[in-house]
Amino acid sequence: MHYPVVIIGSGFAGRTIASYFAPEDCLILERGEKLDYGAAIERARRALSEGKSLAEAEALAYQSRLPWNQTPRLSGYNYSRYALVGGGSSNWWGGKCSRLSSYVFEARDTLPWLLSRQEMEPYYALAERTLNVSGDPVMAEGEPVSAMPGAAYWRNALSPHFGRNHIYNVAVNHGKAGQHGQGTCTGRSACAICYNDAKARPDNIFAEQNILYESMVTEIIFDGERARSVQVYNGREVFEVTFDTLIVAANGLESPRLLARSSLPSAVKREWIGKHLQDHAHFALTCKIPGQLAFRNLGGLAHLQIKELSRPWSSREGEIETGVLALTHPVFEPQVYASGVNLGRLERLDDGAARRLLTEDFRGVFRLYGELEITPALGGEVNLETECAHVIDERTYPRAIRAFDEVLDQIKAEVRSRGIQILKEDTWYRGGYGGHHFCGTLNMSDSERSVVDGNAKLIGTENVYCAGASIVPRSGGVAPTLTLVALAHRLGQHLCRN
């Protein structure tokens, strides 16, 4: 079996690159089975009805039935899970599509970006169209494919405490032939397994492509610096697929693990494969302002990006960027309201007055949700020796926790200085981290540690390229999805030119 182009992985990156080639010229090898999304929803519903947590329900929804696709906990700190079914973790996300900040592109420590923000601009625009981005057409970066109803309200919703902000862009399912739209989003706020299939995922935004499912690549075979073929196992037999060009587009754990299983040419920078693993940790602040907020008035689920808090903060480990959102759905935690109301007064009121107090006076209660970047300097590494995926972070993550404490103290001080009351704080990062973003493990950086060159070709090889979050050298305080799709467009165009 021979194809001019072979791609390993059917997530957003792999399928974006495949869209540049005719199906007869390009084969995607996918280790997981084809995803039946309706069945995935039913598994999630059943798990929730049995009392399982939302995270457990999501894991069961995207669980592969294939014996070689099991994913144990990655480390004592890292609770990220990832999908090994068709489309991979490009199914298991919330739809948020943010460009990386200028700060991230300009930072020069550890793994500086090789490309400038200006160089990325045209590819970001392509990625936003690919993912059917919807948002605020006035305030947001880029040009959303469609304006989200209700976006105008949120520009000034937290005034005068914060300046004009905007809801972040989200990727919506318009359907391969335009038969579906963002109106199917009901704002349920459990986007990882959307019951209405309202967010973009590989199967609902790309046309049919040539994908061979249940085909795990076990090794890349080289002849000198040129990759000649891949060995593939499908549960019944091992076979070879030959090619002219190979693109490794599995996730940031499995791509370096595949390379480590292969006999690589001597010039490949093996010492940096799997290093600088980055992800995100999280916190929340439940807050109250004197005014009232009109929750649930958006045409889809998006949240308000708070620019004043979404920036780099100083710490003992260097600057750490955060992405902070004001959630646009109300807080449903009785203990939060109890912390901000005079209970004695509440008890003296009749039922009607008490209800008004809780529904009117407390319409100003909202939650700030923050993502803390685990910088390249604080990143763990992929254990390349174990049979199952494992992350080594026992020395680095405790340092990150101390740095995050310092960052959160600064954020709380900034929030209070703006006349906002903090009712409750959730320091989830102290218990671990997990956004299943897995950046940096095959980094494309302006440093001697770079594993791939400026065209995403694996250094030391003639015809092996890498794609996905693994090549993103630093993601900052936002998820890497839009960026990895932009980089995939850039690679697809490069391959077509050459």
Side-chain angles (χ1 to χ4, degrees):
M1 189 185 302
H2 177 89
Y3 285 85
V5 177
V6 167
I7 300 171
I8 301 171
S10 67
F12 282 137
R15 294 189 70 168
T16 296
I17 297 166
S19 69
Y20 282 85
F21 301 96
E24 61 269 22
D25 293 331
C26 178
L27 175 67
I28 300 175
L29 293 169
E30 168 56 55
R31 63 184 288 166
E33 61 267 42
K34 185 174 177 59
L35 177 64
D36 181 334
Y37 195 69
I41 290 172
E42 287 308 309
R43 287 194 292 272
R45 288 183 188 272
R46 190 181 315 115
L48 291 172
S49 70
E50 294 170 354
K52 291 183 169 59
S53 68
L54 181 60
E56 291 172 319
E58 292 169 358
L60 288 169
Y62 294 122
Q63 187 174 56
S64 172
R65 59 174 171 74
L66 301 174
W68 58 82
N69 284 342
Q70 305 312 305
T71 55
R73 178 152 178 164
L74 295 173
S75 79
Y77 292 110
N78 191 320
Y79 50 78
S80 281
R81 302 289 294 271
Y82 58 96
L84 290 174
V85 293
S89 291
S90 294
N91 299 295
W92 195 348
W93 72 308
K96 182 182 178 184
C97 280
S98 296
R99 298 183 179 195
L100 304 190
S101 68
S102 296
Y103 164 77
V104 170
F105 282 102
E106 294 166 4
R108 306 312 296 169
D109 52 346
T110 311
L111 295 182
W113 265 82
L114 182 63
L115 304 173
S116 69
R117 202 168 192 270
Q118 185 176 5
E119 289 174 301
M120 286 291 291
E121 183 74 27
Y123 304 107
Y124 270 137
L126 282 172
E128 285 158 350
R129 289 197 290 273
T130 298
L131 293 171
N132 300 323
V133 164
S134 178
D136 184 337
V138 175
M139 295 286 292
E141 293 181 304
E143 298 179 4
V145 171
S146 57
M148 184 173 289
Y153 166 80
W154 286 97
R155 291 176 203 147
N156 299 297
L158 293 181
S159 176
H161 308 281
F162 294 110
R164 294 186 82 195
N165 282 286
H166 62 83
I167 59 167
Y168 63 64
N169 290 343
V170 292
V172 296
N173 170 19
H174 288 315
K176 286 172 284 196
Q179 69 268 34
H180 301 298
Q182 72 186 72
T184 55
C185 176
T186 59
R188 191 173 59 93
S189 77
C191 303
I193 180 71
C194 177
Y195 291 171
N196 301 310
D197 200 15
K199 71 169 186 234
R201 55 187 186 83
D203 281 347
N204 66 28
I205 65 170
F206 289 105
E208 293 298 322
Q209 293 169 315
N210 187 9
I211 304 176
L212 192 61
Y213 292 98
E214 301 185 27
S215 299
M216 178 180 175
V217 176
T218 58
E219 187 179 356
I220 304 169
I221 308 299
F222 285 87
D223 184 3
E225 293 186 348
R226 187 169 186 82
R228 174 174 56 82
S229 66
V230 288
Q231 282 192 344
V232 184
Y233 175 65
N234 63 5
R236 300 178 300 279
E237 61 179 343
V238 175
F239 59 95
E240 282 197 13
V241 180
T242 60
F243 47 77
D244 301 322
T245 299
L246 176 68
I247 298 109
V248 180
N251 66 43
L253 297 182
E254 296 301 336
S255 287
R257 281 164 47 79
L258 169 60
L259 292 178
R261 291 197 300 268
S262 304
S263 297
L264 300 172
S266 59
V268 172
K269 295 184 177 180
R270 289 192 70 113
E271 67 272 25
W272 298 116
I273 291 176
K275 301 295 195 299
H276 299 297
L277 171 66
Q278 300 154 61
D279 206 329
H280 290 91
H282 303 91
F283 70 88
L285 299 175
T286 305
C287 304
K288 182 178 183 294
I289 58 173
Q292 297 185 8
L293 295 170
F295 292 114
R296 296 198 184 283
N297 67 342
L298 284 169
L301 189 74
H303 300 298
L304 186 65
Q305 191 86 35
I306 305 298
K307 293 181 179 178
E308 294 89 341
L309 304 177
S310 300
R311 62 179 181 83
W313 302 84
S314 61
S315 81
R316 69 182 69 193
E317 300 290 348
E319 289 190 316
I320 291 173
E321 188 179 64
T322 61
V324 180
L325 315 170
L327 303 190
T328 57
H329 54 69
V331 179
F332 295 114
E333 293 183 13
Q335 68 271 27
V336 167
Y337 293 88
S339 68
V341 68
N342 184 320
L343 292 179
R345 179 187 170 203
L346 190 63
E347 290 170 356
R348 290 192 297 271
L349 299 175
D350 61 40
D351 288 346
R355 190 178 303 112
R356 283 193 298 276
L357 177 64
L358 290 175
T359 59
E360 295 176 10
D361 291 0
F362 277 79
R363 287 292 294 276
V365 174
F366 67 99
R367 178 162 288 160
L368 291 173
Y369 177 84
E371 287 197 306
L372 297 147
E373 70 159 329
I374 298 174
T375 63
L378 290 172
E381 62 180 276
V382 182
N383 190 330
L384 301 177
E385 305 297 328
T386 53
E387 182 176 350
C388 294
H390 181 260
V391 170
I392 302 170
D393 57 8
E394 292 81 4
R395 294 184 177 180
T396 54
Y397 193 66
R399 290 166 46 203
I401 293 173
R402 293 190 289 271
F404 294 159
D405 282 339
E406 295 173 350
V407 169
L408 185 56
D409 284 343
Q410 295 171 71
I411 291 174
K412 289 188 296 185
E414 180 68 22
V415 169
R416 291 186 175 114
S417 74
R418 294 173 178 271
I420 299 172
Q421 182 183 1
I422 297 176
L423 304 178
K424 180 175 179 280
E425 62 180 83
D426 292 289
T427 52
W428 295 315
Y429 62 81
R430 291 180 183 166
Y433 66 96
H436 51 251
H437 295 146
F438 308 137
C439 299
T441 53
L442 298 173
N443 77 88
M444 183 173 68
S445 66
D446 187 15
S447 77
E448 63 181 13
R449 303 182 184 199
S450 186
V451 177
V452 300
D453 67 15
N455 291 318
K457 186 170 72 173
L458 183 65
I459 294 172
T461 70
E462 292 182 6
N463 62 334
V464 177
Y465 295 81
C466 299
S470 62
I471 70 170
V472 175
R474 184 174 182 178
S475 185
V478 301
T481 307
L482 186 69
T483 300
L484 68 88
V485 174
L487 290 169
H489 273 294
R490 184 174 180 269
L491 177 54
Q493 291 185 9
H494 169 74
L495 293 174
C496 286
R497 287 194 301 268
N498 294 275

